[in-house]
Amino acid sequence: MSDSSRDTAEGAGWGAAERGAYRRLMPRETEKISWLDPRMLWAARNGVLASWFGDPTGRTRSRWVAQRAAAGAPADKVIRRDDPDRFSFLVVGDTGEGDAPQYAVVPGLLEEGRDTAFAVLAGDVIYPVGSADDYGTKFFHPYRDYRAPIYAVPGNHDWYEDLGGFMRVFCGDAPPLPPEPAPRPLTRAWLRSLLWHRPRPDDGRRLAEARALRSDPAQQAVQPGPYWAIDSGPVRIVGIDTGLLGTVDAEQGAWLREVSRGPRPKILVTGSPLYVDGKHHPCPVEGGGTVDDIVRDPAHHYVAAIGGDIHNYQRYPVRLADGRTLQYVVAGGGGAFMHATHTIPRVDVAGVTERDFRCYPLRGDSLAFYSALYGRRLRMRRFFTLTEAEATAVIAERLGIPPTRAPGTPVRITRRVRLVAGLLGTGRRPDRARRFRLPVRTIHTQVFSPGSATHSPPFFKCFLRLDVGPGAIRLRCHAATGNRAQEVAPPVEDEVVIPLT
């Protein structure tokens, strides 16, 4: 196994490394997603409309679930597998941009996943709007050589066309929902319906051809709906659908409470993480309570909650009042552009401190990545670009923590280095006032993400492998930088053993 980013700068992907072979896996033509393109923003408008005029996803989800039940899906929505007490599976989040960063994950995923029983995708399977015809280059083609089934929970992008593409691919080629009666004129629902984005009438015409890429019987999986549970070996994996706005409807909430009962150890998989960027997001359930209330209930025996949506890796080991430790994990590094970690302030949430917190990329590597990106895009390379050593040193200074990676030659932190770190939103200790900083995530998402998606490695992508045994689960975060060394032997960036008793 090669060095990780915690060991050396070369392990992080810096330096004159050999480019990986992932480009040979890519189709000749790939879509370039630009969130600056007005057409792209207009196509992805449903999230904004739902926040302004009311969120219809609960009702739409209920109709999808009813359709699947009428087609014979199990009423409890549990997939019962015959895996032994010892087995392994993968978790990958936010995969589907269909460009170099997504395909850079594939060689390592195939290497580490060759003996796994199945994989789970943690939301945002397809960008930008979940269209059925995008599944060819963004799902079937990249994972055609993964020989086991793939299950998925939807993210907000999968809902931008009312989940139609997702249901056709993962839920038994579910037919389109019949149209609903038109809402009363001059109501909020009426205004929403006038502007609502819907799929093209011919969307999915290339889906049959795409399915042939994963047509082996061993690769097939049919879900009972957009939310489900998998009984596999000694554990139950519970996947929930948080829709457009990161919430759970009352019907799904009642199912979640029911399927969570009992002594069997459980892992939650969701498109919206419950802890992220040093903050708690418990995920409200319509009618009262939160998803995290259900996860924390000692009668439900959850041991971990894994969420996508944020495009990096984070882990928060939260110790509960009854003595249990729940592992809250962000696992959204599967292929979309990288969300910064250097903007995460010094962690102090729910008893989790910097000593316990883990993230990938390391904050210093994130800052070096973004400084090069801003320098290139603003044509101010000499001013903005920080070396990985400078970035690591200034992160340690601002957060008041030791360098995560063992330092080499001592680095002088100049006024320019401090200024760039501040402008790029580097986190601070909670007791320090916030000064002016650039809105890094917003600018990157809307302006720079297309360019950064095609630049040379390191990409700082990742995936999870979970090895389940009768008494414990070993969770490992594997890196994918786009360099050859990390393709051949994907380094472990984080590892934790989770007791099941």
Side-chain angles (χ1 to χ4, degrees):
M1 187 173 296
S2 57
D3 285 348
S4 76
S5 68
R6 292 178 175 270
D7 299 320
T8 63
E10 291 75 17
W14 300 114
E18 180 187 357
R19 178 81 61 94
Y22 63 90
R23 286 191 172 275
R24 300 174 192 169
L25 306 175
M26 297 175 64
R28 291 183 178 179
E29 295 184 5
T30 58
E31 178 187 20
K32 298 295 188 294
I33 294 177
S34 170
W35 296 109
L36 192 63
D37 186 338
R39 294 170 299 177
M40 195 73 68
L41 293 172
W42 179 242
R45 64 189 178 270
N46 286 359
V48 175
L49 294 176
S51 64
W52 287 354
F53 301 116
D55 184 3
T57 55
R59 185 179 67 252
T60 304
R61 183 187 297 114
S62 181
R63 296 176 69 210
W64 282 121
V65 169
Q67 183 197 81
R68 292 291 297 130
D76 60 3
K77 302 171 186 63
V78 177
I79 302 164
R80 293 173 172 85
R81 295 177 51 89
D82 59 356
D83 299 305
D85 283 349
R86 296 185 184 276
F87 73 99
S88 303
F89 69 101
L90 303 175
V91 178
V92 198
D94 299 82
T95 54
E97 283 204 358
D99 52 15
Q102 178 179 7
Y103 280 85
V105 177
V106 174
L109 182 148
L110 294 177
E111 175 66 24
E112 288 295 327
R114 62 188 181 280
D115 61 343
T116 52
F118 55 88
V120 177
L121 303 185
D124 287 348
V125 180
I126 300 295
Y127 292 93
V129 294
S131 300
D133 276 332
D134 282 345
Y135 273 85
T137 57
K138 300 176 183 182
F139 174 73
F140 289 104
H141 190 88
Y143 309 122
R144 64 191 185 277
D145 292 327
Y146 179 67
R147 307 312 302 170
I150 299 177
Y151 305 96
V153 294
N156 57 309
H157 285 268
D158 302 306
W159 266 101
Y160 285 164
E161 290 191 348
D162 290 335
L163 209 64
F166 182 96
M167 295 297 295
R168 292 180 70 174
V169 170
F170 293 104
C171 300
D173 205 13
L177 292 173
E180 287 192 290
R184 288 188 296 110
L186 303 181
T187 61
R188 294 173 72 206
W190 178 76
L191 287 170
R192 185 183 64 221
S193 70
L194 293 180
L195 300 172
W196 199 252
H197 171 77
R198 295 175 176 84
R200 304 185 315 272
D202 63 343
D203 185 43
R205 65 189 184 280
R206 299 192 299 269
L207 194 53
E209 178 184 352
R211 287 183 192 278
L213 296 171
R214 280 185 52 85
S215 59
D216 189 281
Q219 296 174 308
Q220 305 311 302
V222 177
Q223 299 176 188
Y227 57 91
W228 41 261
I230 299 173
D231 281 350
S232 184
V235 300
R236 171 170 284 184
I237 303 160
V238 180
I240 62 171
D241 170 16
T242 54
L244 281 170
L245 301 181
T247 61
V248 168
D249 62 282
E251 180 181 330
Q252 184 181 184
W255 169 85
L256 179 59
R257 292 185 179 93
E258 180 64 31
V259 83
S260 297
R261 292 186 179 132
R264 191 171 193 153
K266 298 174 187 71
I267 301 167
L268 182 77
V269 178
T270 169
S272 298
L274 303 181
Y275 281 87
V276 62
D277 294 348
K279 297 178 182 178
H280 185 209
H281 299 272
C283 187
V285 176
E286 182 184 16
T290 68
V291 169
D292 202 26
D293 292 337
I294 298 170
V295 168
R296 288 170 178 253
D297 189 331
H300 295 159
H301 298 274
Y302 278 89
V303 297
I306 304 172
D309 189 51
I310 303 302
H311 307 165
N312 53 46
Y313 171 82
Q314 301 173 44
R315 180 169 64 84
Y316 301 81
V318 176
R319 189 168 179 83
L320 304 182
D322 60 8
R324 293 178 300 136
T325 296
L326 261 168
Q327 300 291 340
Y328 291 89
V329 176
V330 178
F337 67 89
M338 185 190 81
H339 278 141
T341 59
H342 69 267
T343 57
I344 303 172
R346 181 166 170 163
V347 171
D348 187 7
V349 60
V352 180
T353 64
E354 276 294 323
R355 183 180 63 181
D356 314 306
F357 172 69
R358 296 290 184 272
C359 69
Y360 177 78
L362 301 180
R363 289 184 177 99
D365 292 328
S366 172
L367 178 58
F369 173 95
Y370 271 88
S371 72
L373 176 64
Y374 272 70
R376 187 167 60 249
R377 286 292 172 177
L378 298 177
R379 298 185 179 181
M380 300 174 66
R381 293 175 188 250
R382 292 186 64 183
F383 173 74
F384 265 106
T385 304
L386 305 181
T387 68
E388 58 83 18
E390 289 173 328
T392 298
V394 75
I395 289 285
E397 178 186 81
R398 286 174 66 95
L399 270 66
I401 59 175
T404 309
R405 184 161 56 233
T409 305
V411 174
R412 179 169 170 259
I413 304 176
T414 64
R415 187 174 298 176
R416 178 189 71 89
V417 171
R418 292 189 179 98
L419 177 59
V420 171
L423 287 173
L424 295 184
T426 304
R428 302 180 71 91
R429 298 198 297 269
D431 57 328
R432 294 198 173 184
R434 189 183 303 280
R435 296 181 175 89
F436 173 76
R437 66 178 188 173
L438 294 170
V440 172
R441 177 170 293 173
T442 300
I443 293 177
H444 180 55
T445 302
Q446 296 181 353
V447 183
F448 289 162
S449 61
S452 67
T454 57
H455 84 295
S456 59
F459 294 123
F460 298 111
K461 301 289 96 187
C462 59
F463 61 93
L464 306 185
R465 175 179 167 126
L466 289 87
D467 299 307
V468 180
I473 298 172
R474 182 176 65 164
L475 181 152
R476 290 179 291 174
C477 171
H478 287 278
T481 67
N483 290 330
R484 181 65 175 162
Q486 287 81 36
E487 283 186 352
V488 174
V492 176
E493 291 292 336
D494 186 36
E495 180 173 358
V496 63
V497 176
I498 306 170
L500 293 183
T501 56

